[in-house]
Amino acid sequence: MIPNDVTPTTELVKQTTDVVSSQRDKRVRTYTASEKSRASNRRNARRSTGPRTAEGKAVTRMNAVKHGILSGAVVVRGLRIQEQEGEFKELREQCWQCLAPVGRVEQMLVDRIVTAQWRLRRALMAETGEIVLSVDGGLRRRANREPLPLGIFMDPTRDTAEQMEKSTQGLDYLKVVLRSVREDVEREGELTQATCDQLLRRFINEPNHLTRDLLGYRERMAEDADVFTAEELKENHRRAVMSYIERKLAEYEELTGMCEEREDKEDTARQAANVLPSAAVLDKILRYENALERQLYRAMNQLERLQRRREGEDVPPPVTMQLARG
């Protein structure tokens, strides 16, 4: 209800005045906030490190577009090998800041310099990968090597067992043979003719000093048949054969250690030699690097000539020579 002393017209004027006053206050507050924002923007702008000169603005005007196009064409994005686009962009920005190209032609030459450097870096990585593959491949082949075929030790002019004693794989084979003979002697109580025949077959029926030594014990057993009783003869024979086998196994263990040390040194020498890629791979990498270096130096020379000419210097035309064939 409106009080008796307030007319409707007076009340309407009062409400209208309050609304106008409220809107004015809002406009004042909005205007004040906008001024603060603009002042902050001006301060930030003064701290900006963006380009201010005409040349600087020309250099950076299309940076975002050019970065995307160039990196998309040059940076490798494979399933296993993925070059870092950020590294490429950093290289490009450093070259652009250093060389400061102006105009489309200079920009093209700087991009050519960038791509040549990036591809030279890739060639270096390819060389490193080839070296690692060569070195690691040698270690892997030795770890997974197959046993040498027995025929490789067979030479009618040489003792087979003696040839086997010069390598770890040959010694491993001799130890397996001797342990098999030892098991037969322990089971039979003597060196039987069947064991001797089997021993000879293990060397493809080629006698050697090992087979001859063991056969000699069996021959001496027959010679001593008139001296000892059957039980004494068998026991003495068994002890002699077992003693011989144990001595040979101990000798072969010592030889194995010496062979492993020698073969390790040979592997180390081969790894040192493998630090250089193969001749074919090295030739391919060198030809690739030479082509990139020619492209790099040609672009740098052309860029330098353009920039000197742009600065007003009188640059003579390049000297070219054509050699006529006789």
Side-chain angles (χ1 to χ4, degrees), residues 159-174:
D159 188 292
T160 302
E162 185 178 341
Q163 296 303 309
M164 289 183 171
E165 291 170 357
K166 296 178 181 179
S167 69
T168 53
Q169 287 189 293
L171 286 166
D172 289 342
Y173 184 82
L174 292 176

Side-chain angles (χ1 to χ4, degrees), residues 46-315:
R46 284 194 294 270
R47 290 196 295 267
S48 173
T49 59
R52 298 181 182 180
T53 64
E55 291 185 357
K57 293 177 181 179
V59 170
T60 59
R61 183 169 56 88
M62 297 293 288
N63 268 4
V65 176
K66 292 172 185 172
H67 276 181
I69 294 175
L70 194 62
S71 63
V74 178
V75 177
V76 174
R77 298 181 180 87
L79 294 177
R80 297 282 183 179
I81 303 299
Q82 292 190 358
E83 296 176 338
Q84 299 299 319
E85 185 173 353
E87 294 180 4
F88 177 80
K89 289 183 177 180
E90 182 180 358
L91 172 63
R92 186 178 185 275
E93 289 171 358
Q94 290 173 352
C95 289
W96 275 55
Q97 291 174 6
C98 177
L99 300 174
V102 175
R104 186 68 191 91
V105 177
E106 290 187 12
Q107 293 171 4
M108 176 195 67
L109 291 173
V110 172
D111 281 344
R112 188 169 296 177
I113 292 171
V114 172
T115 55
Q117 289 186 71
W118 185 259
R119 293 164 70 190
L120 280 169
R121 173 180 176 268
R122 187 183 300 155
L124 182 61
M125 293 175 62
E127 180 183 0
T128 303
E130 179 66 23
I131 292 171
V132 171
L133 184 64
S134 178
V135 173
D136 290 352
L139 295 175
R140 191 162 49 250
R141 283 191 296 273
R142 184 182 178 191
N144 301 326
R145 64 184 175 182
E146 296 291 333
L148 293 174
L150 189 58
I152 200 173
F153 299 104
M154 298 301 173
D155 185 347
T157 63
R158 296 183 179 181
D159 188 292
T160 302
E162 185 178 341
Q163 296 303 309
M164 289 183 171
E165 291 170 357
K166 296 178 181 179
S167 69
T168 53
Q169 287 189 293
L171 286 166
D172 289 342
Y173 184 82
L174 292 176
K175 286 185 283 188
V176 169
V177 169
L178 283 177
R179 290 176 184 135
S180 176
V181 173
R182 183 175 62 184
E183 290 176 1
D184 290 346
V185 173
E186 288 176 344
R187 183 178 60 255
E188 301 294 337
E190 61 177 333
L191 179 64
T192 63
Q193 185 61 46
T195 300
C196 291
D197 293 341
Q198 184 180 9
L199 174 64
L200 193 58
R201 284 195 297 272
R202 285 180 175 269
F203 294 97
I204 318 180
N205 294 323
E206 288 288 339
N208 54 73
H209 74 270
L210 190 63
T211 60
R212 285 192 291 269
D213 287 347
L214 288 171
L215 286 173
Y217 282 101
R218 183 164 179 78
E219 292 171 358
R220 284 193 293 275
M221 180 180 178
E223 294 173 359
D224 294 340
D226 297 335
V227 180
F228 300 100
T229 63
E231 291 296 328
E232 291 175 341
L233 183 63
K234 187 174 181 179
E235 179 61 21
N236 291 340
H237 172 69
R238 187 189 68 80
R239 288 179 180 176
V241 172
M242 293 295 288
S243 176
Y244 172 81
I245 291 175
E246 294 300 332
R247 286 198 310 272
K248 295 300 292 185
L249 286 173
E251 177 186 342
Y252 288 162
E253 287 294 339
E254 184 177 355
L255 286 174
T256 298
M258 296 171 61
C259 286
E260 286 178 347
E261 182 178 357
R262 186 189 69 247
E263 291 173 2
D264 285 341
K265 291 180 180 179
E266 292 174 354
D267 277 349
T268 301
R270 278 192 290 270
Q271 291 175 34
N274 288 338
V275 168
L276 286 179
S278 65
V281 173
L282 185 60
D283 180 65
K284 180 179 179 181
I285 292 175
L286 289 177
R287 284 190 285 110
Y288 183 65
E289 287 181 336
N290 288 335
L292 291 174
E293 286 175 353
R294 287 195 299 270
Q295 174 184 326
L296 175 64
Y297 295 142
R298 185 164 55 246
M300 292 175 65
N301 183 52
Q302 292 173 341
L303 177 64
E304 180 187 7
R305 292 175 59 82
L306 283 176
Q307 290 179 334
R308 288 167 58 190
R309 185 182 302 169
R310 175 167 50 80
E311 293 173 358
E313 184 175 346
D314 184 15
V315 181

